[in-house]
Amino acid sequence: MSKMITITYREALKSAIRESLQKDERVFLMGEDVGHYGGAFAVSKGLLKEFGPERIMDVPLSESGFTGAGIGAALAGMRPIVEIMTVNFSLLAMDQIFNNAATLLHMSGGQLNVPVVIRMGCGIGRQLAAQHSHSWEPFYAHVPGIHVLSVGTHEDARGMLLSALQSPDPVIIFEYTSMLNLEGEIPEDAGAVDIRKAKVRREGKDLSLITYGTGVYKAMEAAEILARDGMDIEVVDLRVLRPLDEETFLASVAKTHRALIVEDAWKSVSISSEVSSRIMEKAFFELDLPVERLCGVEVPIPYPKHLEDASVPQVQDIVDRVRKILKP
């Protein structure tokens, strides 16, 4: 059995970037402040000295410009990792991502693959206010032609990038700024993970708690608390937001007959909307109760800590909702 090591989420992300650069000379990292400054969140700190400016590339403050350059490099046979500092800034690159990266394979009649990986800082929880926060994963999961991943655990922080760089298609990876200092245990030899499948993080029989991103560890903690009351909760980490692995969460619902979907994103037109719809369409007769959702409050993310915390589901909110479902 592999030795387990304790590592922060930030260190796991950096380790994956370093290994990718070491394994394939076509791989390079480009983004705002990724080089000399070490990254806005220190994920790439020290990599410029280790790999040099041709592999760790600082770029001008132009998301559309450098994302387009990354797409061009991918078309030319390179394996670029494009870092967009926060998901909010990615709106400036949406034309490149949606109209170019996502469509070129189709528009070229299958001749042009775009193997670009775009990493984005995402989520709520560091008092970065409304222009540097939000969970906009549903925007990207809506679009055919791209693969959308959510890094909700240290295992995936270490392994998702390695797998994404093997994809012939564009991959968006959402990383969560609120988790950067969070410590977790992973095997010392942890490597690439399956980026096609959701994962059951905790087995249970009373209710399926379906989530992703920052919701994963919250759900796991809530499940432990609820276990003390005799409630056996299954936690499903979606992980892959496009294409959704519906087989895994439908199988979970067929086992528990109850579902609560948790996400930080706004409730309207969300990942939870889609998951709920698929459960109702494909597993309706497995349900003992209607599907329920616990999502972010539909407001721009506030700056004050107490309001920021109140804007997204917390562990106690999950516990309270599950208790209400199972013991009304």
Side-chain angles (χ1 to χ4, degrees):
M1 186 174 179
S2 299
K3 177 185 175 184
M4 301 299 288
I5 59 171
T6 300
I7 191 172
T8 67
Y9 184 90
R10 175 188 286 105
E11 289 166 342
L13 294 171
K14 182 188 290 188
S15 176
I17 297 170
R18 176 181 285 112
E19 181 176 333
S20 300
L21 290 161
Q22 290 169 339
K23 281 187 170 181
D24 190 339
E25 63 182 13
R26 297 173 301 168
V27 173
F28 67 97
L29 173 68
M30 62 189 302
E32 295 165 353
D33 294 330
V34 298
H36 293 280
Y37 188 68
F41 304 110
V43 171
S44 56
K45 190 173 182 180
L47 295 182
L48 175 63
K49 183 177 180 181
E50 189 173 347
F51 294 99
E54 291 188 355
R55 310 282 308 279
I56 308 295
M57 192 179 299
D58 284 322
V59 298
L61 304 184
S62 174
E63 281 76 11
S64 180
F66 68 75
T67 301
I71 292 168
L75 288 167
M78 301 296 284
R79 290 293 185 269
I81 304 169
V82 178
E83 177 179 306
I84 297 179
M85 191 183 298
T86 79
V87 68
N88 301 64
F89 298 163
S90 74
L91 300 190
L92 299 166
M94 271 191 168
D95 175 49
Q96 295 285 9
I97 297 169
F98 292 170
N99 288 328
N100 290 314
T103 64
L104 280 169
L105 182 63
H106 169 76
M107 296 292 286
S108 68
Q111 297 179 80
L112 299 175
N113 284 99
V114 189
V116 63
V117 175
I118 302 173
R119 299 170 42 245
M120 300 187 195
C122 186
I124 299 107
R126 288 174 64 92
Q127 288 187 268
L128 298 175
Q131 289 192 337
H132 295 75
S133 302
H134 291 126
S135 287
W136 285 347
E137 298 93 331
F139 289 10
Y140 291 87
H142 180 66
V143 181
I146 56 177
H147 202 66
V148 181
L149 308 178
S150 172
V151 185
T153 66
H154 290 68
E155 173 193 14
D156 284 348
R158 179 67 181 88
M160 274 189 164
L161 177 65
L162 302 175
S163 301
L165 285 166
Q166 302 305 310
S167 172
D169 301 313
V171 180
I172 308 294
I173 302 180
F174 289 104
E175 301 165 359
Y176 297 91
T177 55
S178 65
M179 295 173 64
L180 287 169
N181 294 324
L182 183 66
E183 290 188 337
E185 282 195 342
I186 61 172
E188 190 174 35
D189 59 353
V193 297
D194 187 350
I195 58 171
R196 298 166 299 173
K197 301 289 291 181
K199 191 159 187 174
V200 176
R201 300 288 181 188
R202 186 183 194 278
E203 298 278 352
K205 60 181 175 57
D206 292 335
L207 178 141
S208 298
L209 199 49
I210 303 168
T211 189
Y212 64 90
T214 56
V216 177
Y217 283 129
K218 291 178 186 177
M220 294 291 283
E221 185 178 344
E224 288 297 321
I225 294 170
L226 291 160
R228 299 169 201 159
D229 295 339
M231 302 179 197
D232 191 11
I233 307 302
E234 182 150 300
V235 177
V236 179
D237 176 6
L238 293 172
R239 302 172 73 238
V240 187
L241 305 183
R242 185 174 189 100
L244 276 171
D245 170 23
E246 63 179 36
E247 181 181 355
T248 296
F249 66 77
L250 292 177
S252 177
V253 171
K255 179 169 68 169
T256 68
H257 309 295
R258 303 171 183 86
L260 172 63
I261 311 163
V262 178
E263 69 177 327
D264 284 357
W266 299 314
K267 193 172 189 178
S268 301
V269 198
S270 60
I271 301 295
S272 64
S273 303
E274 182 64 24
V275 172
S276 175
S277 177
R278 295 196 193 190
I279 293 171
M280 295 300 289
E281 290 168 355
K282 300 184 179 184
F284 178 78
F285 293 104
E286 300 289 353
L287 292 169
D288 288 345
L289 295 169
V291 176
E292 293 201 24
R293 295 187 287 152
L294 182 60
C295 305
V297 178
E298 302 201 9
V299 296
I301 301 305
Y303 171 77
K305 178 64 175 167
H306 66 293
L307 295 179
E308 183 183 53
D309 288 346
S311 71
V312 293
Q314 302 297 334
V315 172
Q316 191 59 48
D317 300 320
I318 299 171
V319 169
D320 291 344
R321 180 64 70 89
V322 171
R323 284 175 173 159
K324 186 176 179 181
I325 293 170
L326 294 181
K327 294 185 177 181

